[in-house]
Amino acid sequence: MEISVLTIDGPSGAGKGTVSRLIAQQLEWHYLDSGAIYRALALELTEKDVLHDSITEIVEVALAMDLVFESGEEQLVILNGQDITDLLVLESTGNAASKIATIPEVRAALLQKQRDFKQAAGLVADGRDMGTVVFPEAQYKVFLTASALTRAERRYKQLKLKGIDANLLKITTDIQERDQRDSERQFSPLIPAPDAVYIDSSNLSIQAVVEEVLSLVR
Ligand code: C5P
């Protein structure tokens, strides 16, 4: 039997991570946080002092990355034996990730790592190109978005909760810059799959979004 896949794509701060995790828990499916893979690679490149224009070297690092997601109350991300969970959430990591994510060779190198998450009983895949490129065959596809201001405010609260210093204006500018880069890039840009259900979460609670997405699957 074909393994079920639910893809949730959209810009940063739309609530994809929280919603995807809750749905994966409820359905008892696996969860792929594809953004974390791009973020982990960005960190590894900084750690190894690899420049963003050394494409061959970046691809080598991408293919060699030993990345483990440990699910528990909070997801832990272990890169080559080191817990990088706290570094992953930094805005600087997201920005660096979005820069290397424009390189087609990098995207190709990370494709199989992402597809390996498709395992029984099913997968909730969260990202930018899950429904268009990585899992075009997915049975259920959602494009989850929210206004830029709502997304910036959510990100601000998330960072504050984690005790990380944050500035709302700076976050809003960063989000707009990142949206533009993600949407305008030539390869795998952030666009809804033609068969995706579009949900604007600006005025919806997390629970309401979860219910709406679950109703598509059930
Ligand atoms: O989702 P998250 O904010 O963690 O993603 C960080 C960056 O990684 C995004 O801004 C985007 O440029 C890139 N990304 C991507 N394709 C994905 C997931 C993330 O290009 N499927």
Side-chain angles (χ1 to χ4, degrees):
M1 206 177 77
E2 183 58 24
I3 297 172
S4 300
V5 179
L6 161 66
T7 60
I8 305 190
D9 289 307
S12 81
K16 298 186 310 285
T18 311
V19 166
S20 303
R21 247 171 240 147
L22 287 169
I23 291 176
Q25 269 170 15
Q26 294 208 21
L27 295 173
E28 296 187 7
W29 287 5
H30 297 274
Y31 167 55
L32 164 62
D33 175 0
S34 62
I37 300 182
Y38 286 91
R39 284 171 183 257
L41 177 57
L43 284 176
E44 184 73 341
L45 295 175
T46 310
E47 167 90 15
K48 291 196 144 80
D49 273 334
V50 176
L51 297 177
H52 281 190
D53 54 1
S54 319
I55 294 179
T56 316
E57 227 181 315
I58 299 179
V59 168
E60 267 170 30
V61 174
L63 293 172
M65 269 197 309
D66 175 20
L67 200 56
V68 179
F69 291 86
E70 282 182 6
S71 47
E73 202 155 296
E74 215 190 321
Q75 173 184 261
L76 293 184
V77 186
I78 317 291
L79 173 63
N80 301 332
Q82 203 188 337
D83 182 352
I84 55 161
T85 315
D86 290 344
L87 294 174
L88 279 191
V89 295
L90 299 177
E91 284 304 293
S92 53
T93 310
N95 286 328
S98 116
K99 287 184 189 147
I100 51 162
T102 59
I103 307 169
E105 291 87 343
V106 171
R107 306 200 68 87
L110 295 177
L111 207 50
Q112 195 54 48
K113 256 192 211 324
Q114 298 173 78
R115 290 189 174 147
D116 288 345
F117 279 78
K118 181 173 167 180
Q119 287 176 25
L123 173 69
V124 181
D126 147 8
R128 304 290 187 292
D129 60 345
M130 299 294 100
T132 49
V133 177
V134 184
F135 303 106
E137 76 287 5
Q139 296 88 335
Y140 315 104
K141 297 185 186 179
V142 168
F143 191 84
L144 184 62
T145 188
S147 72
L149 181 62
T150 310
R151 293 188 284 118
E153 282 172 351
R154 285 179 187 162
R155 198 59 147 204
Y156 177 78
K157 280 188 200 148
Q158 252 176 12
L159 291 171
K160 283 278 176 192
L161 268 179
K162 287 190 194 279
I164 299 170
D165 195 27
N167 173 305
L168 185 59
L169 191 64
K170 168 97 174 60
I171 293 178
T172 312
T173 327
D174 280 354
I175 278 193
Q176 283 165 338
E177 246 178 56
R178 191 131 69 91
D179 282 355
Q180 191 174 8
R181 200 179 306 120
D182 288 351
S183 310
E184 292 180 358
R185 69 180 175 219
Q186 192 182 351
F187 302 96
S188 309
L190 170 65
I191 41 161
D195 48 348
V197 174
Y198 191 94
I199 301 177
D200 184 330
S201 73
S202 304
N203 298 307
L204 294 176
S205 66
I206 288 178
Q207 204 44 45
V209 178
V210 169
E211 289 303 326
E212 194 170 335
V213 178
L214 278 176
S215 71
L216 300 174
V217 178
R218 281 181 175 147

